[in-house]
Amino acid sequence: MPPSLHRRLPLVSATLLALFLLVLARRIGGESTMLLVASSLVMFACCWASAAHLLGARAALRLVAIAMSFGWLAEQLGSSYGWFFGSYTYTPVLGPRLGDVPVVIPMMWFALAYIGYVVSNLIVWQDPVDAPASLGHDAILALVGATVVTCYDLGVDPYMVYVLKAWIMAKTDGWWFGETVQGFAGWMTVSFAILFAFRRLARVRPAAAVPPTARHVLVPLGVYAGLMVFQVLLGYPVEARTIALFAMGFPLLAAGAGLLRWQGVLARPAAGVQPAAALPAVALKEAA
């Protein structure tokens, strides 16, 4: 990627984030296929621009390819044979399809996988981009990222099925507001596969033309936060709204703390230094 274009990526991703949040807010006033497709396309473009800046253009393209191919294949097998998520059929609500799968669905897998990657790094390492590591390290971090992705699904699935009717489940008597628990196992499995494959294949930490700062990392966190607020306001049934707040809010809060640590705002106390509350009263008097 030309350096001049790479320097513009932070502005591009921030602009796309603002546009995504505006489209998401417009959806609160009334859903339509056009708004659903538009918000998915803008979210995809926003996350790609952000990933190209934080990870490098080549690594970002690799994540796009892995996530979209894995995501499409899993959804195609799911809608055709009931694998991973249970038996279901997509309706025309989500727009044009590739095979049995709406085109926006693989795009969503990429956006959520990228967010899961950044959030898991911030939680574990207080850094948005991970360095090359062992097989076990990649497996654990991929598992954390897959959990972040699946937290989103806890609230969105009932809304998509019962309010938007974006797909029709063959069984609606499951343990999760009529949804089958198998779907969450599918989300964990597919998310883990995407993130683990990416971590094993994308091993180089790029030297960015514009070094990332906190406001750049806020782009993927802002997308996740926007999705959380949407579920809190419109989640169905009502119980799902509180679930979305805590399920998505906790990883956001933990990632935010990691971001502050990465920026040096939060620092670990120096070794051997005790807080004042832990010192005996006599020692405090002598120190005074």
Side-chain angles (χ1 to χ4, degrees):
M1 179 181 294
S4 59
L5 178 57
H6 199 277
R7 281 192 292 270
R8 295 191 183 97
L9 286 175
L11 177 61
V12 171
S13 59
T15 302
L16 289 170
L17 172 62
L19 181 59
F20 168 70
L21 295 176
L22 286 173
V23 177
L24 206 59
R26 178 63 185 85
R27 284 177 55 191
I28 294 175
E31 293 276 29
S32 69
T33 295
M34 184 178 70
L35 286 173
L36 280 164
V37 172
S39 65
S40 299
L41 291 175
V42 176
M43 180 173 69
F44 172 78
C46 174
C47 288
W48 193 346
S50 175
H53 176 227
L54 292 182
L55 310 179
R58 185 173 298 178
L61 181 60
R62 192 167 294 163
L63 179 55
V64 169
I66 292 171
M68 291 190 66
S69 58
F70 280 34
W72 178 85
L73 181 61
E75 297 280 355
Q76 180 66 31
L77 291 173
S79 59
S80 299
Y81 303 107
W83 293 16
F84 300 110
F85 314 102
S87 299
Y88 62 99
T89 304
Y90 280 107
T91 69
V93 168
L94 295 179
R97 305 185 197 188
L98 178 61
D100 296 330
V101 183
V103 175
V104 297
I105 294 296
M107 294 181 175
M108 174 213 67
W109 277 109
F110 158 70
L112 292 174
Y114 169 61
I115 293 169
Y117 173 84
V118 173
V119 169
S120 61
N121 288 335
L122 287 171
I123 291 174
V124 176
W125 296 121
Q126 293 82 54
D127 195 320
V129 183
D130 203 0
S134 67
L135 185 73
H137 165 278
D138 287 343
I140 292 172
L141 268 290
L143 185 61
V144 175
T147 304
V148 173
V149 174
T150 306
C151 283
Y152 162 77
D153 187 52
L154 287 172
V156 78
D157 251 21
Y159 175 80
M160 297 294 281
V161 171
Y162 297 111
V163 177
L164 292 188
K165 296 179 172 54
W167 59 84
I168 299 171
M169 298 296 300
K171 295 181 179 180
T172 57
D173 57 350
W175 296 347
W176 188 257
F177 305 115
E179 291 285 293
T180 59
V181 178
Q182 178 186 347
F184 301 117
W187 273 74
M188 285 292 296
T189 301
V190 176
S191 302
F192 176 85
I194 292 170
L195 289 168
F196 184 69
F198 174 67
R199 286 180 177 277
R200 298 310 297 168
L201 294 174
R203 312 296 296 163
V204 179
R205 189 186 188 110
V210 181
T213 64
R215 61 189 178 90
H216 301 144
V217 181
L218 285 174
V219 171
L221 300 186
V223 173
Y224 198 71
L227 294 171
M228 180 191 72
V229 171
F230 184 89
Q231 290 191 33
V232 169
L233 293 176
L234 294 185
Y236 178 89
V238 164
E239 294 85 349
R241 301 179 185 184
T242 304
I243 291 169
L245 177 63
F246 286 93
M248 299 179 70
F250 180 75
L252 265 177
L253 182 62
L259 180 60
L260 292 176
R261 179 76 189 279
W262 177 59
Q263 289 292 291
V265 178
L266 293 179
R268 187 191 302 273
V273 177
Q274 290 182 303
L279 294 175
V282 175
L284 289 174
K285 185 180 295 185
E286 291 177 354

